[in-house]
Amino acid sequence: MLGFEGIGVVLAYVLTIAAALLCVIYGVINWNKSDEEEKL
Amino acid sequence: MDTLYIGIVVAVYLAITAYLGWLGFKQTTNAADFLVAGRKQHPIIMALSYGATFISTSAIVGFGGAAAVFGMGLLWLTFLNIFVGIFIAFVFFGKRTRKMGHNLDAHTFPELLGKRFDSRFIQGATGLLIFLFMPIYAGSVLIGGAIFIAQTFSISYDAAVLGFTIITAVYVVFGGLKGVMYTDAFQGVLMFIGMALLLIYAYTSVGGVMAGHTALSKLAPEAKILFGKGGHMGWTSMPAFGSAMWMQLVTTIVMGVGIGVLAQPQLIVRFMTVKSNKEINRAVLVGGVFILFMTGVAFTVGALSNVYFWNNPKYQTVAIEAVKMAQAEKEGKVYKPVVSVELTKKREADAAAALLNPALAVKEPAKPAAAVQSAAIAPKTGAAAPAAPAPAKPKASGALTDAIIPLFINEAMPKWFIPIFLITLLAAAMSTLSSQFHTMGTALARDVYEKGLQIKSKNTVLVNRMGTLFTIILSLGVAIYLPRFFETGSAIIAKGTAIFFGLCACAVIPMYVGALYSKRFTKAAAKSGFLAGVAVSLLWMAFIHSAEAAPLGICMALTGKASLLDPRSWISNLDPLIAALPVSIIVSLLVSALTSPMDKEHLKKCFNGIEKV
């Protein structure tokens, strides 16, 4: 049985993998996207 | 053979680093090259440089060791490192920073803020904050790297710290940000390979992924015996909500470092080194995967090291106790661990017997862990009879946790991997240190000297090189003399990273967000938020937060107490960032509401093209 504290760690696992996937997907989708800037 | 192998690996590493530093030197012809790498860096170089700068030896060894104590809950920091440190930082801060930096022709982070709010004070004060407090952070990275080098090559600490500084200084002073970023990218690749191999071998050493994590869950009773008073619930659980360990894990380690990253000047300047947002989009992918393999691996391996040591016949205890055993062995003594396979079997047998015969349950009360601990170290003797306990000098908890990952590497990894891991740590330390040197140098030379004090110079590159050299000497002084002159010096240094991250976040985050996202945010609000953040943060460190107040000793000198509040109370364990950042935000918003916005033409120039970002 997972207690409240155990769920905290499982959530950290899931969110960590999700954040890494978000970075990968964002990078792939926007690979060629830009807003693109000109011989002290 | 081993020494020759290590020597060859290190020599090849240094030769490649020197070549990349020389390449940076050859390509540095003007101030923009030295300060922002010519604004045309490749996205992969930018992302690896950002990641390698972000991750230092303390992230791998220090925080990896902390994971061996706190457990998998540290993965919350990995989540924030990726989501806040990469995704939010690049997508919501990086693009606007690059564009606004370009619009305003800014070459450093303080210069970006100064030009955005048209304020010499903001540029000078932010530069001064970096110049005054970053040497503590750089000193902590320098000390960590030098101790590691001194132990590996059996040389003195002073020789290690001097050699380490000189090698890094040469390519920073001459190569500028181009030299720093080229070497960072190379070091980042080495770090990635080293950590990937570490993950594979670590899981192999504990019997695989499922077996390792299941075994770690089963060790929860041992965690409660060791750290139960602090709120530990096991290595696959968070500490009990609100307990001392929970406060330390969540407010200092996870929030302090996880959010503080947004305001790190040595990272923010990276956004100004690429020519368009396309590079930033591509860097998100590389950065996210890189950080997952850095802190994700370090924290997982740190926690799993408990299973390895528990299953290892030589130790049969958890990681922190195994380190005590190894250190006692070096001193010719024997340390009897507080928790071990043998004690657990005895406890289970007693429990089973008590279940069968309740009369057996009435026994003498168990000794508390501290009492067991005090009698656990005895001189090493060949005799079977128990020897008289000899008091051993207690080691600082920080020193013990820092020793966990190196001990695990030496015990669990194949011999050929040890020099590879040495290079991984060397690369982590050098990549962070080189960026710190560059940021401190440019803060002093450009932000304080040239812009803040308005002293004109004919050769900007030379002034920045001299500024960088001066701050390198200052950091070297911190690394050599602070631990020597103050008995508590090492305790202050160990806090260096958290202090700098927290201070920067409280001082800079409100005005940084305001600068990028609000035309209504005023110059007065930026100044007052900065001053409120710095003041509350420093006062909280000096008088309330016992982790800093006790070693700093200011509160003790003025009031006779280590901290104004009971060190056990939750508020004494509340990180300065959590206390000072809300104050800084509220002050900024209030002052902004009461003062008039900046000139429309100036704002138009600042935000030119940013709405599309």
Side-chain angles (χ1 to χ4, degrees):
Chain A
M1 268 293 286
L2 276 174
F4 172 69
E5 286 80 9
I7 290 169
V9 166
V10 172
L11 197 58
Y13 266 112
V14 173
L15 289 174
T16 297
I17 299 299
L21 281 174
L22 177 67
C23 288
V24 171
I25 292 165
Y26 183 89
V28 170
I29 289 173
N30 296 291
W31 191 256
N32 284 318
K33 239 184 214 175
S34 185
D35 39 335
E36 176 202 334
E37 280 178 20
E38 274 177 14
K39 282 176 188 169
L40 288 166
Chain B
M1 173 59 192
D2 273 357
T3 313
L4 182 67
Y5 173 40
I6 291 173
I8 290 169
V9 170
V10 171
V12 170
Y13 163 75
L14 289 177
I16 296 171
T17 302
Y19 169 72
L20 293 168
W22 177 80
L23 205 64
F25 170 67
K26 289 289 286 179
Q27 294 178 6
T28 297
T29 55
N30 57 37
D33 287 335
F34 191 91
L35 295 166
V36 285
R39 294 193 198 275
K40 280 180 287 185
Q41 276 298 358
H42 192 279
I44 293 178
I45 289 178
M46 191 276 256
L48 285 173
S49 174
Y50 182 100
T53 298
F54 188 177
I55 303 300
S56 69
T57 317
S58 71
I60 297 171
V61 172
F63 284 68
V69 173
F70 285 95
M72 292 288 189
L74 233 78
L75 281 174
W76 277 105
L77 178 56
T78 303
F79 164 63
L80 285 187
N81 286 160
I82 299 170
F83 186 65
V84 177
I86 298 293
F87 189 76
I88 299 284
F90 279 52
V91 176
F92 295 99
F93 286 78
K95 291 181 178 185
R96 285 176 177 246
T97 299
R98 187 203 69 80
K99 185 69 185 148
M100 195 173 281
H102 197 102
N103 290 345
L104 298 172
D105 197 26
H107 295 77
T108 65
F109 178 50
E111 186 167 53
L112 173 75
L113 295 173
K115 286 191 170 182
R116 164 64 179 84
F117 292 111
D118 193 21
S119 165
R120 264 197 315 139
F121 169 80
I122 287 174
Q123 180 169 357
T126 310
L128 196 63
L129 182 81
I130 293 166
F131 170 65
L132 290 177
F133 290 96
M134 205 173 198
I136 300 173
Y137 175 27
S140 71
V141 172
L142 196 48
I143 287 171
I147 288 172
F148 181 70
I149 292 166
Q151 286 172 348
T152 306
F153 295 102
S154 302
I155 56 174
S156 75
Y157 169 78
D158 284 359
V161 83
L162 195 63
F164 188 30
T165 304
I166 289 170
I167 290 167
T168 311
V170 168
Y171 72 79
V172 178
V173 170
F174 291 102
L177 195 55
K178 282 192 173 182
V180 168
M181 290 182 80
Y182 292 158
T183 51
D184 277 0
F186 165 60
Q187 288 155 348
V189 170
L190 291 179
M191 289 160 70
F192 188 87
I193 294 167
M195 295 306 277
L197 288 171
L198 177 63
L199 183 70
I200 293 164
Y201 276 105
Y203 272 124
T204 306
S205 74
V206 295
V209 177
M210 290 304 289
H213 288 265
T214 305
L216 189 62
S217 292
K218 285 180 180 170
L219 287 178
E222 322 306 326
K224 288 174 186 171
I225 291 170
L226 275 172
F227 309 112
K229 273 188 176 177
H232 210 306
M233 304 285 282
W235 283 286
T236 53
S237 286
M238 291 290 285
F241 181 76
S243 64
M245 285 189 92
W246 189 91
M247 291 295 283
Q248 197 184 346
L249 175 64
V250 174
T251 73
T252 298
I253 296 178
V254 174
M255 303 289 276
V257 178
I259 293 172
V261 66
L262 286 175
Q264 290 299 295
Q266 75 278 20
L267 299 179
I268 292 167
V269 76
R270 297 291 186 277
F271 301 135
M272 297 197 267
T273 64
V274 292
K275 67 182 177 189
S276 80
N277 286 342
K278 186 166 70 181
E279 278 73 18
I280 291 184
N281 288 335
R282 292 178 177 188
V284 169
L285 189 155
V286 181
V289 175
F290 182 82
I291 296 295
L292 177 68
F293 269 79
M294 291 298 117
T295 62
V297 169
F299 302 164
T300 301
V301 168
L304 285 172
S305 69
N306 287 297
V307 175
Y308 171 78
F309 287 116
W310 189 260
N311 293 336
N312 184 328
K314 183 178 168 185
Y315 294 100
Q316 296 202 324
T317 185
V318 298
I320 192 91
E321 294 292 285
V323 165
K324 290 176 190 172
M325 286 173 74
Q327 291 186 350
E329 190 180 23
K330 271 186 187 172
E331 294 165 9
K333 296 174 180 175
V334 172
Y335 174 79
K336 290 180 181 173
V338 177
V339 295
S340 68
V341 173
E342 186 187 359
L343 289 171
T344 299
K345 280 179 181 169
K346 188 175 180 300
R347 196 172 63 233
E348 286 169 355
D350 287 350
L355 204 65
L356 292 170
N357 183 358
L360 288 174
V362 186
K363 294 172 72 174
E364 62 171 315
K367 286 180 183 176
V372 179
Q373 229 163 344
S374 64
I377 293 183
K380 196 173 189 175
T381 61
K393 192 180 175 187
K395 298 216 185 297
S397 60
L400 286 172
T401 53
D402 284 353
I404 291 172
I405 295 290
L407 181 67
F408 176 73
I409 298 296
N410 281 318
E411 293 284 349
M413 297 293 126
K415 291 298 171 200
W416 65 265
F417 180 74
I418 293 171
I420 302 292
F421 194 71
L422 163 73
I423 292 296
T424 301
L425 292 185
L426 205 57
M430 283 176 83
S431 55
T432 303
L433 198 61
S434 60
S435 300
Q436 290 170 328
F437 284 167
H438 181 267
T439 301
M440 288 187 294
T442 56
L444 175 66
R446 187 167 182 87
D447 300 316
V448 177
Y449 179 82
E450 283 188 323
K451 300 291 178 177
L453 300 174
Q454 287 201 308
I455 300 169
K456 289 207 168 184
S457 56
K458 283 183 178 176
N459 191 335
T460 293
V461 175
L462 182 65
V463 168
N464 276 285
R465 281 185 172 144
M466 296 307 289
T468 304
L469 192 61
F470 181 79
T471 52
I472 287 170
I473 293 166
L474 190 69
S475 300
L476 184 63
V478 169
I480 289 178
Y481 291 107
L482 199 63
R484 188 172 296 177
F485 282 132
F486 300 98
E487 198 181 347
T488 53
S490 58
I492 294 171
I493 286 295
K495 286 275 161 197
T497 304
I499 288 174
F500 186 72
F501 268 57
L503 196 56
C504 266
C506 299
V508 166
I509 282 181
M511 75 161 138
Y512 185 31
V513 175
L516 297 180
Y517 279 93
S518 171
K519 291 178 181 175
R520 185 66 189 78
F521 200 88
T522 67
K523 184 195 291 192
K527 287 180 181 176
S528 50
F530 175 88
L531 293 172
V534 171
V536 175
S537 191
L538 289 177
L539 288 171
W540 198 270
M541 279 181 213
F543 294 99
I544 307 289
H545 195 229
S546 48
E548 281 104 24
L552 282 172
I554 297 169
C555 189
M556 178 62 84
L558 293 175
T559 67
K561 290 196 292 185
S563 159
L564 287 180
L565 302 172
D566 182 350
R568 289 164 299 178
S569 69
W570 70 271
I571 203 159
S572 283
N573 288 304
L574 190 69
D575 194 78
L577 175 100
I578 309 298
L581 185 56
V583 173
S584 177
I585 292 169
I586 291 165
V587 167
S588 299
L589 292 175
L590 277 176
V591 175
S592 204
L594 298 171
T595 49
S596 53
M598 298 186 71
D599 173 56
K600 277 187 178 175
E601 277 307 307
H602 174 72
L603 289 172
K604 198 175 167 185
K605 182 185 173 189
C606 293
F607 283 88
N608 178 32
I610 280 189
E611 280 74 9
K612 285 174 274 185
V613 171

